[in-house]
Amino acid sequence: MPKILSIETSTTVCSVALTTDGNTLASQKLFLEKSHSTLLTVVIEQIMKQVGMEMSELDAIAVSKGPGSYTGLRIGVSTAKGLCYALDKPLIAVNTLLAMANEVNRQNHSGALLCPMIDARRMEVYTALYDGKLNELKKTSAKILEENSFHETLMQNQMLFFGNGAGKFKDLKNNVSNAIFIENITPSAWSVGLLANQAFLKGDFEDVAYFEPFYLKDFVATKPKRVL
């Protein structure tokens, strides 16, 4: 039964979970702005103390690889890689959108299509499309939302939209019966851990030395506004 510590920092929400054999032993989620750099390691320590387990007892470290916030992903992946080096444990990376879809799919009794959305500023989102068995129907991409987005798919299928970018699309599709919007879904480390368990059993590990987050888009620095 692999014991996996999972880290999720792809958005403003920071979460950590400890899972074993596909079950969650402990998890914690922080809804605090800019908490990743200062509180991530603290939360990891709290999780391990909560279950009375030593870090050396872990079998692997899992991390949400993106897409998402450039800064958040960098912090999460750096922390995960550091733990892998220090503990000599394998690294497992999980697509953030797939982990979100996996979480929502637990309540998807109708078998609707799953469309997670992470805000990428303005009317753009990071998104993908999965069926009720989590098969990827459309690959992860950066998509500019328009009134006709997903029109053909919605004509034939019920779709669940969720994530911090879905609200922008809701304003465009609020009267479409096949478009169902689920509120308050944020990426969760426990869902990352459940998928990581499957990867562990397959031996699907990353090269710790060369692994980089799945940023999807290049980082663009913005200049601070001048105060007059």
Side-chain angles (χ1 to χ4, degrees):
M1 297 187 294
K3 297 178 284 294
I4 302 174
L5 180 73
S6 299
I7 297 170
E8 212 305 311
T9 57
S10 63
T11 64
T12 55
V13 179
C14 174
S15 67
V16 177
L18 180 62
T19 58
T20 181
D21 196 30
N23 297 308
T24 304
L25 297 181
S27 65
Q28 189 170 338
K29 182 179 285 190
L30 300 179
F31 294 85
L32 300 173
E33 291 284 346
K34 300 180 180 179
S35 62
H36 304 52
S37 59
T38 57
L39 296 178
L40 178 56
T41 55
V42 175
V43 174
I44 292 173
E45 292 177 1
Q46 291 176 344
I47 288 288
M48 298 305 292
K49 287 182 179 179
Q50 182 178 341
V51 298
M53 186 182 298
E54 298 293 333
M55 297 291 291
S56 59
E57 298 179 64
L58 294 171
D59 294 298
I61 308 296
V63 67
S64 179
K65 70 176 181 179
S69 160
Y70 180 93
T71 302
L73 290 173
R74 178 174 55 79
I75 293 171
V77 168
S78 297
T79 301
K81 291 174 70 171
L83 290 173
C84 289
Y85 276 122
L87 301 170
D88 191 25
K89 304 295 181 181
L91 175 67
I92 300 171
V94 174
N95 185 293
T96 305
L97 297 171
L98 177 59
M100 293 171 65
N102 179 53
E103 178 175 353
V104 171
N105 201 41
R106 293 161 67 92
Q107 305 297 325
N108 182 22
H109 304 301
S110 64
L113 301 185
L114 302 151
C115 189
M117 292 180 169
I118 294 177
D119 189 10
R121 297 183 180 181
R122 298 185 178 88
M123 287 304 291
E124 190 171 24
V125 294
Y126 300 127
T127 188
L129 186 63
Y130 304 93
D131 66 16
K133 295 183 179 179
L134 296 184
N135 295 310
E136 185 182 69
L137 303 181
K138 290 187 178 181
K139 293 184 177 181
T140 299
S141 64
K143 184 178 183 65
I144 297 176
L145 297 174
E146 301 173 338
E147 187 174 353
N148 291 326
S149 297
F150 300 105
H151 176 73
E152 293 184 5
T153 306
L154 280 167
M155 289 287 289
Q156 304 177 33
N157 303 274
Q158 188 178 75
M159 295 180 65
L160 304 181
F161 297 94
F162 47 93
N164 65 1
K168 297 187 289 189
F169 195 48
K170 184 177 182 178
D171 294 336
L172 301 175
K173 294 290 186 179
N174 206 23
N175 296 320
V176 178
S177 60
N178 272 345
I180 300 174
F181 293 86
I182 303 177
E183 305 290 339
N184 302 319
I185 298 297
T186 58
S188 299
W190 65 262
S191 185
V192 171
L194 299 185
L195 293 173
N197 182 75
Q198 300 173 20
F200 184 93
L201 297 178
K202 296 176 183 177
D204 187 8
F205 304 129
E206 303 293 336
D207 187 319
V208 179
Y210 295 100
F211 177 74
E212 293 292 335
F214 181 31
Y215 293 121
L216 192 59
K217 292 174 62 178
D218 292 334
F219 175 68
V220 178
T222 57
K223 295 181 179 180
K225 296 180 180 179
R226 293 181 60 187
V227 179
L228 300 179

